[in-house]
Amino acid sequence: MTTDRIWSYASASGYAEGLLLAGFTVAAADGTIGHVDRQVDESGMRHLIVDTGVWVFGRSVLIPVGVVTAIDPEAQEIKVACTEDEIKAAPRFRTDRETLDPDFLAGVGHYYRGLPPRPATAS
């Protein structure tokens, strides 16, 4: 990925402190993956829990906010610098307890940091 701060929004992402993202559509580099079920901002390891609906057999995925490339509050859309397959291959998120597990979050961060860099997409 293009960020070394995987748990922080990039300054060019369009995120404004306090912006509530629940319900926003999440678009990968190659297609829509679902919508934000909830965001976690208070742990210092900010991330989004994305409900994929039937896309990945109805499971949720945990996405660090450092991969967010653009947020469009009017369209309620978030773009991420990952492909659908890369998100599918990420460490499996199963329970909310994992959002507080430093080992799980470290593994997720390591995975997303290891993805190939991509240019930011325009909003």
Short mmCIF file of all heavy atoms in Angstrom, two decimals, residues 58-121:
data_model
loop_
_atom_site.label_atom_id
_atom_site.label_comp_id
_atom_site.label_asym_id
_atom_site.label_seq_id
_atom_site.Cartn_x
_atom_site.Cartn_y
_atom_site.Cartn_z
N GLY A 58 -21.68 -13.32 2.78
CA GLY A 58 -22.32 -12.61 3.87
C GLY A 58 -21.43 -12.30 5.05
O GLY A 58 -21.91 -12.01 6.13
N ARG A 59 -20.13 -12.32 4.88
CA ARG A 59 -19.27 -12.02 6.02
C ARG A 59 -18.87 -10.56 6.05
O ARG A 59 -18.98 -9.85 5.05
CB ARG A 59 -18.04 -12.92 6.05
CG ARG A 59 -16.98 -12.61 5.03
CD ARG A 59 -15.78 -13.53 5.27
NE ARG A 59 -14.79 -13.40 4.23
CZ ARG A 59 -13.58 -12.90 4.43
NH1 ARG A 59 -13.23 -12.47 5.62
NH2 ARG A 59 -12.71 -12.83 3.44
N SER A 60 -18.40 -10.13 7.19
CA SER A 60 -17.88 -8.78 7.34
C SER A 60 -16.36 -8.82 7.20
O SER A 60 -15.74 -9.84 7.47
CB SER A 60 -18.25 -8.20 8.70
OG SER A 60 -19.64 -8.01 8.78
N VAL A 61 -15.79 -7.69 6.78
CA VAL A 61 -14.34 -7.58 6.69
C VAL A 61 -13.89 -6.36 7.47
O VAL A 61 -14.63 -5.38 7.60
CB VAL A 61 -13.85 -7.51 5.22
CG1 VAL A 61 -14.11 -8.81 4.49
CG2 VAL A 61 -14.49 -6.35 4.47
N LEU A 62 -12.69 -6.42 8.01
CA LEU A 62 -12.09 -5.31 8.75
C LEU A 62 -11.07 -4.66 7.82
O LEU A 62 -10.17 -5.33 7.32
CB LEU A 62 -11.43 -5.85 10.01
CG LEU A 62 -10.89 -4.81 10.98
CD1 LEU A 62 -10.98 -5.35 12.41
CD2 LEU A 62 -9.45 -4.46 10.67
N ILE A 63 -11.23 -3.36 7.58
CA ILE A 63 -10.35 -2.64 6.67
C ILE A 63 -9.71 -1.47 7.41
O ILE A 63 -10.43 -0.58 7.89
CB ILE A 63 -11.13 -2.14 5.44
CG1 ILE A 63 -11.73 -3.33 4.68
CG2 ILE A 63 -10.23 -1.30 4.54
CD1 ILE A 63 -12.58 -2.94 3.49
N PRO A 64 -8.38 -1.44 7.52
CA PRO A 64 -7.71 -0.30 8.14
C PRO A 64 -7.98 0.97 7.32
O PRO A 64 -8.00 0.93 6.09
CB PRO A 64 -6.23 -0.66 8.09
CG PRO A 64 -6.17 -2.12 7.80
CD PRO A 64 -7.43 -2.46 7.07
N VAL A 65 -8.16 2.09 7.98
CA VAL A 65 -8.49 3.33 7.28
C VAL A 65 -7.34 3.88 6.45
O VAL A 65 -7.56 4.74 5.59
CB VAL A 65 -9.03 4.41 8.25
CG1 VAL A 65 -10.29 3.92 8.94
CG2 VAL A 65 -7.96 4.85 9.24
N GLY A 66 -6.14 3.37 6.63
CA GLY A 66 -5.02 3.82 5.83
C GLY A 66 -5.12 3.44 4.37
O GLY A 66 -4.42 4.00 3.54
N VAL A 67 -6.02 2.52 4.02
CA VAL A 67 -6.20 2.16 2.61
C VAL A 67 -7.32 2.97 1.96
O VAL A 67 -7.57 2.83 0.76
CB VAL A 67 -6.45 0.64 2.42
CG1 VAL A 67 -5.28 -0.17 2.96
CG2 VAL A 67 -7.77 0.20 3.02
N VAL A 68 -7.97 3.84 2.73
CA VAL A 68 -9.01 4.71 2.17
C VAL A 68 -8.33 5.79 1.32
O VAL A 68 -7.45 6.50 1.79
CB VAL A 68 -9.85 5.37 3.29
CG1 VAL A 68 -10.78 6.43 2.72
CG2 VAL A 68 -10.64 4.30 4.05
N THR A 69 -8.74 5.87 0.06
CA THR A 69 -8.14 6.86 -0.85
C THR A 69 -9.04 8.07 -1.05
O THR A 69 -8.55 9.15 -1.37
CB THR A 69 -7.81 6.25 -2.22
OG1 THR A 69 -9.00 5.74 -2.80
CG2 THR A 69 -6.76 5.16 -2.09
N ALA A 70 -10.36 7.89 -0.90
CA ALA A 70 -11.28 9.01 -1.14
C ALA A 70 -12.59 8.76 -0.40
O ALA A 70 -13.08 7.63 -0.35
CB ALA A 70 -11.55 9.18 -2.62
N ILE A 71 -13.12 9.83 0.17
CA ILE A 71 -14.43 9.79 0.82
C ILE A 71 -15.28 10.88 0.18
O ILE A 71 -14.87 12.04 0.13
CB ILE A 71 -14.32 10.02 2.33
CG1 ILE A 71 -13.47 8.93 2.98
CG2 ILE A 71 -15.72 10.08 2.97
CD1 ILE A 71 -13.14 9.18 4.44
N ASP A 72 -16.45 10.49 -0.30
CA ASP A 72 -17.39 11.44 -0.88
C ASP A 72 -18.63 11.48 0.00
O ASP A 72 -19.51 10.61 -0.12
CB ASP A 72 -17.75 11.04 -2.31
CG ASP A 72 -18.67 12.03 -3.00
OD1 ASP A 72 -19.31 12.85 -2.30
OD2 ASP A 72 -18.76 11.97 -4.24
N PRO A 73 -18.72 12.45 0.93
CA PRO A 73 -19.87 12.50 1.84
C PRO A 73 -21.21 12.68 1.11
O PRO A 73 -22.21 12.15 1.55
CB PRO A 73 -19.57 13.70 2.74
CG PRO A 73 -18.10 13.89 2.65
CD PRO A 73 -17.73 13.47 1.26
N GLU A 74 -21.22 13.42 0.00
CA GLU A 74 -22.47 13.63 -0.72
C GLU A 74 -22.99 12.34 -1.33
O GLU A 74 -24.17 12.02 -1.22
CB GLU A 74 -22.28 14.67 -1.83
CG GLU A 74 -22.82 16.02 -1.46
CD GLU A 74 -22.70 17.00 -2.61
OE1 GLU A 74 -23.27 16.75 -3.69
OE2 GLU A 74 -22.02 18.02 -2.39
N ALA A 75 -22.11 11.59 -1.98
CA ALA A 75 -22.49 10.32 -2.60
C ALA A 75 -22.51 9.18 -1.58
O ALA A 75 -22.94 8.08 -1.91
CB ALA A 75 -21.54 9.98 -3.73
N GLN A 76 -22.02 9.45 -0.38
CA GLN A 76 -21.87 8.44 0.68
C GLN A 76 -21.09 7.23 0.16
O GLN A 76 -21.53 6.09 0.24
CB GLN A 76 -23.22 8.04 1.25
CG GLN A 76 -23.88 9.17 2.01
CD GLN A 76 -24.99 8.71 2.92
OE1 GLN A 76 -25.46 7.58 2.86
NE2 GLN A 76 -25.41 9.59 3.79
N GLU A 77 -19.90 7.53 -0.38
CA GLU A 77 -19.06 6.49 -0.94
C GLU A 77 -17.61 6.65 -0.44
O GLU A 77 -17.11 7.76 -0.30
CB GLU A 77 -19.05 6.54 -2.47
CG GLU A 77 -18.22 5.43 -3.08
CD GLU A 77 -18.23 5.46 -4.60
OE1 GLU A 77 -17.79 6.48 -5.18
OE2 GLU A 77 -18.66 4.45 -5.18
N ILE A 78 -16.99 5.50 -0.19
CA ILE A 78 -15.59 5.43 0.22
C ILE A 78 -14.86 4.58 -0.80
O ILE A 78 -15.33 3.48 -1.14
CB ILE A 78 -15.47 4.78 1.62
CG1 ILE A 78 -16.18 5.63 2.65
CG2 ILE A 78 -14.01 4.56 1.99
CD1 ILE A 78 -16.33 4.94 3.99
N LYS A 79 -13.73 5.06 -1.28
CA LYS A 79 -12.90 4.29 -2.20
C LYS A 79 -11.66 3.81 -1.44
O LYS A 79 -11.09 4.56 -0.65
CB LYS A 79 -12.49 5.12 -3.41
CG LYS A 79 -13.69 5.47 -4.28
CD LYS A 79 -13.29 6.23 -5.51
CE LYS A 79 -14.55 6.54 -6.32
NZ LYS A 79 -14.26 7.24 -7.55
N VAL A 80 -11.29 2.56 -1.70
CA VAL A 80 -10.11 1.99 -1.07
C VAL A 80 -9.13 1.51 -2.13
O VAL A 80 -9.52 1.16 -3.24
CB VAL A 80 -10.46 0.83 -0.10
CG1 VAL A 80 -11.28 1.33 1.07
CG2 VAL A 80 -11.18 -0.29 -0.82
N ALA A 81 -7.85 1.52 -1.80
CA ALA A 81 -6.77 1.16 -2.74
C ALA A 81 -6.47 -0.33 -2.67
O ALA A 81 -5.33 -0.73 -2.50
CB ALA A 81 -5.52 1.98 -2.44
N CYS A 82 -7.49 -1.15 -2.79
CA CYS A 82 -7.34 -2.60 -2.77
C CYS A 82 -8.27 -3.17 -3.83
O CYS A 82 -9.27 -2.54 -4.18
CB CYS A 82 -7.77 -3.20 -1.44
SG CYS A 82 -7.06 -2.47 0.01
N THR A 83 -7.99 -4.36 -4.28
CA THR A 83 -8.91 -5.05 -5.17
C THR A 83 -9.85 -5.91 -4.34
O THR A 83 -9.59 -6.17 -3.15
CB THR A 83 -8.16 -5.95 -6.17
OG1 THR A 83 -7.52 -7.00 -5.44
CG2 THR A 83 -7.15 -5.15 -6.99
N GLU A 84 -10.90 -6.37 -4.96
CA GLU A 84 -11.83 -7.28 -4.27
C GLU A 84 -11.09 -8.52 -3.78
O GLU A 84 -11.28 -8.95 -2.64
CB GLU A 84 -12.97 -7.69 -5.21
CG GLU A 84 -13.92 -6.57 -5.54
CD GLU A 84 -15.04 -7.01 -6.47
OE1 GLU A 84 -15.21 -8.23 -6.71
OE2 GLU A 84 -15.77 -6.14 -6.95
N ASP A 85 -10.24 -9.10 -4.64
CA ASP A 85 -9.51 -10.32 -4.25
C ASP A 85 -8.57 -10.07 -3.08
O ASP A 85 -8.42 -10.94 -2.22
CB ASP A 85 -8.75 -10.90 -5.44
CG ASP A 85 -9.67 -11.59 -6.44
OD1 ASP A 85 -10.81 -11.94 -6.07
OD2 ASP A 85 -9.24 -11.78 -7.59
N GLU A 86 -7.94 -8.90 -3.05
CA GLU A 86 -7.05 -8.60 -1.93
C GLU A 86 -7.83 -8.49 -0.62
O GLU A 86 -7.38 -8.95 0.43
CB GLU A 86 -6.28 -7.30 -2.19
CG GLU A 86 -5.24 -7.45 -3.28
CD GLU A 86 -4.67 -6.14 -3.76
OE1 GLU A 86 -5.31 -5.08 -3.59
OE2 GLU A 86 -3.57 -6.18 -4.35
N ILE A 87 -9.01 -7.91 -0.68
CA ILE A 87 -9.83 -7.80 0.53
C ILE A 87 -10.34 -9.18 0.94
O ILE A 87 -10.34 -9.52 2.13
CB ILE A 87 -10.97 -6.80 0.31
CG1 ILE A 87 -10.39 -5.39 0.13
CG2 ILE A 87 -11.96 -6.84 1.47
CD1 ILE A 87 -11.37 -4.34 -0.33
N LYS A 88 -10.73 -10.00 -0.02
CA LYS A 88 -11.17 -11.37 0.29
C LYS A 88 -10.06 -12.18 0.95
O LYS A 88 -10.33 -13.03 1.81
CB LYS A 88 -11.62 -12.09 -0.98
CG LYS A 88 -12.95 -11.66 -1.50
CD LYS A 88 -13.28 -12.43 -2.78
CE LYS A 88 -14.53 -11.90 -3.44
NZ LYS A 88 -14.82 -12.58 -4.71
N ALA A 89 -8.81 -11.93 0.55
CA ALA A 89 -7.67 -12.70 1.07
C ALA A 89 -7.14 -12.18 2.41
O ALA A 89 -6.27 -12.79 3.01
CB ALA A 89 -6.54 -12.70 0.04
N ALA A 90 -7.68 -11.07 2.89
CA ALA A 90 -7.22 -10.48 4.16
C ALA A 90 -7.53 -11.42 5.32
O ALA A 90 -8.39 -12.30 5.21
CB ALA A 90 -7.90 -9.14 4.38
N PRO A 91 -6.83 -11.25 6.45
CA PRO A 91 -7.14 -12.08 7.62
C PRO A 91 -8.63 -12.04 7.93
O PRO A 91 -9.25 -10.99 7.91
CB PRO A 91 -6.31 -11.43 8.74
CG PRO A 91 -5.16 -10.81 8.02
CD PRO A 91 -5.74 -10.31 6.71
N ARG A 92 -9.18 -13.20 8.19
CA ARG A 92 -10.63 -13.35 8.39
C ARG A 92 -11.08 -12.69 9.69
O ARG A 92 -10.54 -12.98 10.75
CB ARG A 92 -10.98 -14.83 8.40
CG ARG A 92 -12.42 -15.08 8.61
CD ARG A 92 -12.98 -15.81 7.47
NE ARG A 92 -14.42 -15.96 7.68
CZ ARG A 92 -15.21 -16.41 6.78
NH1 ARG A 92 -14.72 -16.79 5.64
NH2 ARG A 92 -16.48 -16.53 7.02
N PHE A 93 -12.05 -11.82 9.59
CA PHE A 93 -12.64 -11.15 10.75
C PHE A 93 -13.88 -11.94 11.16
O PHE A 93 -14.76 -12.19 10.35
CB PHE A 93 -13.02 -9.71 10.37
CG PHE A 93 -13.85 -9.00 11.40
CD1 PHE A 93 -13.28 -8.56 12.57
CD2 PHE A 93 -15.19 -8.77 11.18
CE1 PHE A 93 -14.04 -7.89 13.52
CE2 PHE A 93 -15.96 -8.12 12.12
CZ PHE A 93 -15.38 -7.68 13.29
N ARG A 94 -13.94 -12.34 12.43
CA ARG A 94 -15.06 -13.16 12.87
C ARG A 94 -15.90 -12.51 13.97
O ARG A 94 -17.12 -12.61 13.94
CB ARG A 94 -14.54 -14.51 13.36
CG ARG A 94 -14.01 -15.37 12.25
CD ARG A 94 -13.60 -16.75 12.77
NE ARG A 94 -13.21 -17.62 11.69
CZ ARG A 94 -12.00 -17.68 11.17
NH1 ARG A 94 -11.04 -16.90 11.63
NH2 ARG A 94 -11.72 -18.51 10.19
N THR A 95 -15.25 -11.90 14.96
CA THR A 95 -16.01 -11.36 16.10
C THR A 95 -15.51 -9.96 16.46
O THR A 95 -14.38 -9.59 16.16
CB THR A 95 -15.86 -12.24 17.36
OG1 THR A 95 -14.53 -12.15 17.84
CG2 THR A 95 -16.21 -13.70 17.08
N ASP A 96 -16.37 -9.21 17.13
CA ASP A 96 -16.00 -7.86 17.56
C ASP A 96 -14.82 -7.87 18.54
O ASP A 96 -14.12 -6.88 18.66
CB ASP A 96 -17.19 -7.16 18.20
CG ASP A 96 -18.17 -6.65 17.16
OD1 ASP A 96 -17.78 -6.54 15.98
OD2 ASP A 96 -19.32 -6.37 17.52
N ARG A 97 -14.60 -8.96 19.25
CA ARG A 97 -13.45 -9.04 20.17
C ARG A 97 -12.14 -8.81 19.42
O ARG A 97 -11.19 -8.27 19.98
CB ARG A 97 -13.41 -10.40 20.86
CG ARG A 97 -14.43 -10.57 21.96
CD ARG A 97 -14.17 -11.86 22.71
NE ARG A 97 -14.08 -12.97 21.77
CZ ARG A 97 -14.96 -13.96 21.66
NH1 ARG A 97 -15.98 -14.02 22.46
NH2 ARG A 97 -14.80 -14.91 20.77
N GLU A 98 -12.11 -9.21 18.16
CA GLU A 98 -10.88 -9.06 17.39
C GLU A 98 -10.53 -7.59 17.14
O GLU A 98 -9.36 -7.27 16.92
CB GLU A 98 -11.00 -9.80 16.05
CG GLU A 98 -11.00 -11.30 16.26
CD GLU A 98 -11.35 -12.06 15.01
OE1 GLU A 98 -12.19 -11.60 14.22
OE2 GLU A 98 -10.77 -13.15 14.85
N THR A 99 -11.51 -6.71 17.20
CA THR A 99 -11.22 -5.28 17.01
C THR A 99 -10.41 -4.72 18.18
O THR A 99 -9.88 -3.62 18.08
CB THR A 99 -12.50 -4.45 16.81
OG1 THR A 99 -13.28 -4.48 18.00
CG2 THR A 99 -13.30 -4.93 15.62
N LEU A 100 -10.34 -5.46 19.27
CA LEU A 100 -9.56 -5.05 20.44
C LEU A 100 -8.33 -5.92 20.66
O LEU A 100 -7.59 -5.71 21.62
CB LEU A 100 -10.45 -5.10 21.69
CG LEU A 100 -11.70 -4.23 21.65
CD1 LEU A 100 -12.57 -4.48 22.87
CD2 LEU A 100 -11.33 -2.77 21.54
N ASP A 101 -8.11 -6.90 19.78
CA ASP A 101 -7.00 -7.84 19.93
C ASP A 101 -5.77 -7.31 19.19
O ASP A 101 -5.75 -7.29 17.95
CB ASP A 101 -7.42 -9.20 19.35
CG ASP A 101 -6.32 -10.25 19.44
OD1 ASP A 101 -5.16 -9.91 19.74
OD2 ASP A 101 -6.63 -11.43 19.20
N PRO A 102 -4.75 -6.86 19.93
CA PRO A 102 -3.56 -6.29 19.29
C PRO A 102 -2.88 -7.24 18.31
O PRO A 102 -2.37 -6.81 17.28
CB PRO A 102 -2.63 -5.94 20.44
CG PRO A 102 -3.45 -6.03 21.68
CD PRO A 102 -4.64 -6.87 21.38
N ASP A 103 -2.87 -8.54 18.61
CA ASP A 103 -2.23 -9.50 17.71
C ASP A 103 -2.99 -9.62 16.39
O ASP A 103 -2.39 -9.65 15.32
CB ASP A 103 -2.10 -10.88 18.38
CG ASP A 103 -1.12 -10.88 19.53
OD1 ASP A 103 -0.17 -10.05 19.51
OD2 ASP A 103 -1.29 -11.69 20.45
N PHE A 104 -4.31 -9.69 16.48
CA PHE A 104 -5.13 -9.76 15.27
C PHE A 104 -4.94 -8.50 14.43
O PHE A 104 -4.71 -8.56 13.22
CB PHE A 104 -6.61 -9.97 15.60
CG PHE A 104 -7.48 -9.96 14.37
CD1 PHE A 104 -7.51 -11.04 13.51
CD2 PHE A 104 -8.25 -8.84 14.06
CE1 PHE A 104 -8.30 -11.02 12.36
CE2 PHE A 104 -9.03 -8.81 12.92
CZ PHE A 104 -9.06 -9.90 12.07
N LEU A 105 -5.03 -7.34 15.08
CA LEU A 105 -4.89 -6.07 14.36
C LEU A 105 -3.49 -5.93 13.75
O LEU A 105 -3.34 -5.42 12.64
CB LEU A 105 -5.20 -4.89 15.28
CG LEU A 105 -6.68 -4.79 15.71
CD1 LEU A 105 -6.85 -3.70 16.75
CD2 LEU A 105 -7.59 -4.58 14.53
N ALA A 106 -2.47 -6.41 14.45
CA ALA A 106 -1.10 -6.37 13.90
C ALA A 106 -1.02 -7.22 12.64
O ALA A 106 -0.39 -6.82 11.65
CB ALA A 106 -0.10 -6.85 14.95
N GLY A 107 -1.66 -8.38 12.64
CA GLY A 107 -1.68 -9.23 11.45
C GLY A 107 -2.41 -8.58 10.29
O GLY A 107 -1.96 -8.65 9.14
N VAL A 108 -3.52 -7.92 10.58
CA VAL A 108 -4.27 -7.21 9.54
C VAL A 108 -3.41 -6.08 8.97
O VAL A 108 -3.30 -5.91 7.75
CB VAL A 108 -5.61 -6.66 10.08
CG1 VAL A 108 -6.27 -5.72 9.08
CG2 VAL A 108 -6.55 -7.81 10.44
N GLY A 109 -2.79 -5.30 9.85
CA GLY A 109 -1.93 -4.21 9.40
C GLY A 109 -0.78 -4.70 8.55
O GLY A 109 -0.47 -4.12 7.50
N HIS A 110 -0.16 -5.79 8.97
CA HIS A 110 0.95 -6.38 8.22
C HIS A 110 0.49 -6.80 6.82
O HIS A 110 1.17 -6.56 5.82
CB HIS A 110 1.53 -7.57 8.98
CG HIS A 110 2.65 -8.25 8.28
ND1 HIS A 110 3.91 -7.71 8.18
CD2 HIS A 110 2.69 -9.42 7.61
CE1 HIS A 110 4.69 -8.52 7.49
NE2 HIS A 110 3.97 -9.56 7.13
N TYR A 111 -0.69 -7.42 6.75
CA TYR A 111 -1.23 -7.86 5.46
C TYR A 111 -1.44 -6.67 4.52
O TYR A 111 -0.96 -6.67 3.38
CB TYR A 111 -2.54 -8.62 5.65
CG TYR A 111 -3.23 -8.91 4.34
CD1 TYR A 111 -2.80 -9.97 3.53
CD2 TYR A 111 -4.25 -8.09 3.86
CE1 TYR A 111 -3.39 -10.21 2.30
CE2 TYR A 111 -4.84 -8.32 2.64
CZ TYR A 111 -4.42 -9.38 1.86
OH TYR A 111 -5.00 -9.61 0.64
N TYR A 112 -2.14 -5.65 4.99
CA TYR A 112 -2.45 -4.51 4.12
C TYR A 112 -1.20 -3.70 3.75
O TYR A 112 -1.11 -3.19 2.64
CB TYR A 112 -3.52 -3.62 4.74
CG TYR A 112 -4.92 -4.17 4.52
CD1 TYR A 112 -5.56 -4.90 5.51
CD2 TYR A 112 -5.59 -3.97 3.32
CE1 TYR A 112 -6.83 -5.42 5.31
CE2 TYR A 112 -6.86 -4.48 3.11
CZ TYR A 112 -7.48 -5.21 4.11
OH TYR A 112 -8.74 -5.72 3.90
N ARG A 113 -0.24 -3.60 4.66
CA ARG A 113 1.02 -2.90 4.33
C ARG A 113 1.78 -3.62 3.23
O ARG A 113 2.53 -3.01 2.48
CB ARG A 113 1.92 -2.79 5.56
CG ARG A 113 1.60 -1.63 6.43
CD ARG A 113 2.67 -1.47 7.53
NE ARG A 113 2.06 -0.88 8.68
CZ ARG A 113 1.62 -1.55 9.75
NH1 ARG A 113 1.73 -2.86 9.82
NH2 ARG A 113 1.07 -0.92 10.75
N GLY A 114 1.62 -4.94 3.14
CA GLY A 114 2.34 -5.75 2.16
C GLY A 114 1.73 -5.75 0.77
O GLY A 114 2.32 -6.32 -0.16
N LEU A 115 0.57 -5.14 0.59
CA LEU A 115 -0.05 -5.11 -0.73
C LEU A 115 0.70 -4.16 -1.65
O LEU A 115 1.31 -3.20 -1.21
CB LEU A 115 -1.52 -4.68 -0.61
CG LEU A 115 -2.43 -5.65 0.15
CD1 LEU A 115 -3.83 -5.06 0.26
CD2 LEU A 115 -2.47 -7.01 -0.52
N PRO A 116 0.64 -4.42 -2.96
CA PRO A 116 1.37 -3.55 -3.90
C PRO A 116 0.80 -2.13 -3.89
O PRO A 116 -0.40 -1.94 -3.73
CB PRO A 116 1.15 -4.20 -5.26
CG PRO A 116 0.06 -5.18 -5.09
CD PRO A 116 -0.06 -5.49 -3.63
N PRO A 117 1.68 -1.15 -4.05
CA PRO A 117 1.21 0.25 -4.07
C PRO A 117 0.35 0.53 -5.30
O PRO A 117 0.55 -0.07 -6.35
CB PRO A 117 2.49 1.08 -4.10
CG PRO A 117 3.61 0.14 -4.32
CD PRO A 117 3.10 -1.26 -4.18
N ARG A 118 -0.61 1.42 -5.12
CA ARG A 118 -1.47 1.87 -6.21
C ARG A 118 -1.64 3.35 -6.13
O ARG A 118 -1.70 3.90 -5.03
CB ARG A 118 -2.86 1.23 -6.08
CG ARG A 118 -2.87 -0.20 -6.45
CD ARG A 118 -4.30 -0.71 -6.56
NE ARG A 118 -4.24 -2.12 -6.81
CZ ARG A 118 -4.00 -3.03 -5.87
NH1 ARG A 118 -3.87 -2.68 -4.64
NH2 ARG A 118 -3.92 -4.28 -6.18
N PRO A 119 -1.79 4.00 -7.27
CA PRO A 119 -2.07 5.44 -7.21
C PRO A 119 -3.45 5.68 -6.62
O PRO A 119 -4.34 4.85 -6.75
CB PRO A 119 -2.01 5.88 -8.67
CG PRO A 119 -2.20 4.65 -9.49
CD PRO A 119 -1.73 3.50 -8.62
N ALA A 120 -3.60 6.80 -5.93
CA ALA A 120 -4.90 7.16 -5.35
C ALA A 120 -5.89 7.37 -6.49
O ALA A 120 -5.55 7.89 -7.54
CB ALA A 120 -4.77 8.41 -4.51
N THR A 121 -7.13 6.95 -6.25
CA THR A 121 -8.18 7.16 -7.24
C THR A 121 -8.84 8.49 -7.01
O THR A 121 -8.94 8.96 -5.89
CB THR A 121 -9.23 6.04 -7.15
OG1 THR A 121 -9.74 6.00 -5.82
CG2 THR A 121 -8.66 4.70 -7.55
#
